[in-house]
């Protein structure tokens, strides 16, 4: 999803002026081909994570971590941007993070453990009683695709495509189930930002971190490859899709790492 002059909308209270921000620390990803997707049993076919196929990419640069709360706060303060969750007045929160006395609210139809919380937004991750104290380096959440695009535009970049995201996340590894190897938890240790503990129980959120790998990718796995073309170029080829185009689901996940043309 490359930004062009013709696509630049007029500035408003919820549309930041283009430019003015910084994309943060980036790492260069060289041009080349990589194998995208997963044919193994650890993937989710319904999410389009297979079959494996080769994708060719032009060179690009991508942020070494997900966008943090502190970074998003800088953007919001500089532009006055108001996220969609703030405008809607609600978002969905994992039930395990809510207090036991939290009143019954509607849940996501296919995932009822995601509960509607009035007043939940990026500044209030678990609702109006919560804040960002001590979580400045955590990934920003409750941001929609539009909110993510607004941030990237202000920072002088764009969202990475699915193919670019997976290429960077793999860190140059070939033939491995995970970027670090084939064992999900080598030595019993988690290597990515994934739910830990008893389901629906409270689990501390890890802060943004880096993995010691070729491309210094973040600790996550997500190999959505449906609709990705064999030759993606800079990621804007017909049929390619940005890394975060899953509607409201994006409000409960970190903003994808920033990407700019190399």
């Amino acid at each position: 999803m490359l930004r062009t002059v013709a696509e630049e909308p007029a500035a408003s209270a919820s549309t930041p002026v283009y430019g003015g921000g910084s994309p943060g620390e980036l790492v260069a990803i060289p041009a080349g081909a990589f194998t995208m997707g997963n044919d193994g049993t650890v993937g989710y076919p319904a999410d389009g994570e297979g079959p494996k196929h080769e994708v060719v990419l032009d060179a690009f640069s991508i942020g070494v971590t997900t966008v943090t709360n502190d970074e998003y706060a800088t953007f919001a303060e500089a532009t006055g941007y108001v996220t969609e969750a703030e405008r809607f007045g609600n978002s969905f929160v994992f039930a395990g993070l809510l207090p036991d006395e939290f009143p019954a609210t509607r849940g996501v139809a296919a995932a009822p453990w995601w509960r509607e919380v009035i007043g939940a937004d990026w500044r209030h991750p678990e609702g109006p009683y919560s804040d960002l104290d001590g979580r400045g380096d955590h990934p920003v959440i409750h941001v929609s695709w539009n909110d993510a695009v607004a941030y990237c535009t202000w920072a002088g970049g764009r969202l990475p495509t699915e193919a670019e995201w997976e290429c960077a996340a793999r860190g140059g590894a070939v033939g491995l189930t995970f970027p670090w190897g084939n064992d999900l938890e080598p030595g019993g240790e988690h290597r990515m930002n994934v739910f830990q503990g008893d389901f629906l129980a409270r689990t501390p959120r890890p802060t943004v971190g880096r993995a010691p790998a070729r491309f210094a990718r973040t600790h996550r796995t997500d190999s959505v490859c449906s609709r990705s073309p064999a030759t993606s170029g800079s990621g804007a080829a017909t049929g390619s899709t940005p890394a975060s185009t899953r509607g409201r689901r994006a409000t409960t996940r970190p903003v994808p790492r920033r990407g700019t043309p190399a």
Side-chain angles (χ1 to χ4, degrees), residues 12-21 72-82 150 154:
S12 70
S14 297
T15 305
V17 176
Y18 279 71
Y72 206 82
T74 298
F75 154 67
E77 290 167 5
T79 64
Y81 184 83
V82 179
W154 169 80

Side-chain angles (χ1 to χ4, degrees), residues 25-219:
E25 184 180 356
L26 303 175
V27 62
I29 310 298
F34 82 104
T35 300
M36 184 173 180
N38 189 310
D39 287 332
T41 59
V42 297
Y44 294 90
D47 280 351
E49 295 180 354
K52 291 182 178 179
H53 61 287
E54 185 177 88
V55 176
V56 179
L57 294 173
D58 290 339
F60 63 99
S61 294
I62 194 168
V64 297
T65 71
T66 52
V67 176
T68 67
N69 286 319
D70 282 346
E71 290 175 316
Y72 206 82
T74 298
F75 154 67
E77 290 167 5
T79 64
Y81 184 83
V82 179
T83 64
E84 292 187 329
E86 290 174 293
R87 297 200 299 275
F88 296 154
N90 69 84
S91 190
F92 286 79
V93 177
F94 182 60
L97 299 175
L98 300 175
D100 295 335
E101 64 276 13
F102 191 80
T105 57
R106 64 175 178 162
V108 176
W113 47 88
W114 288 106
R115 300 271 300 281
E116 181 184 28
V117 175
I118 303 301
D121 55 49
W122 73 274
R123 301 177 192 270
H124 309 94
E126 292 82 53
Y129 60 86
S130 63
D131 56 37
L132 299 180
D133 187 29
R135 293 192 274 190
D137 62 348
H138 286 216
V140 64
I141 61 175
H142 296 298
V143 290
S144 68
W145 183 86
N146 290 325
D147 301 330
V149 168
Y151 174 88
C152 292
T153 301
W154 169 80
R158 59 172 174 81
L159 290 174
T161 65
E162 296 171 47
E164 289 172 332
W165 194 98
E166 184 171 339
C167 177
R170 287 185 177 277
V174 178
L176 299 179
T177 302
F178 305 104
W180 55 84
N182 292 317
D183 188 355
L184 175 62
E185 300 175 24
E189 178 185 358
H190 282 280
R191 296 293 181 88
M192 60 180 174
N193 183 354
V194 66
F195 180 83
Q196 303 171 31
D198 295 330
F199 191 59
L200 295 185
R202 293 177 178 80
T203 304
R205 293 180 182 174
T207 56
V208 169
R210 307 184 192 198
R214 179 182 174 193
F215 296 150
R217 73 245 177 227
T218 51
H219 299 213

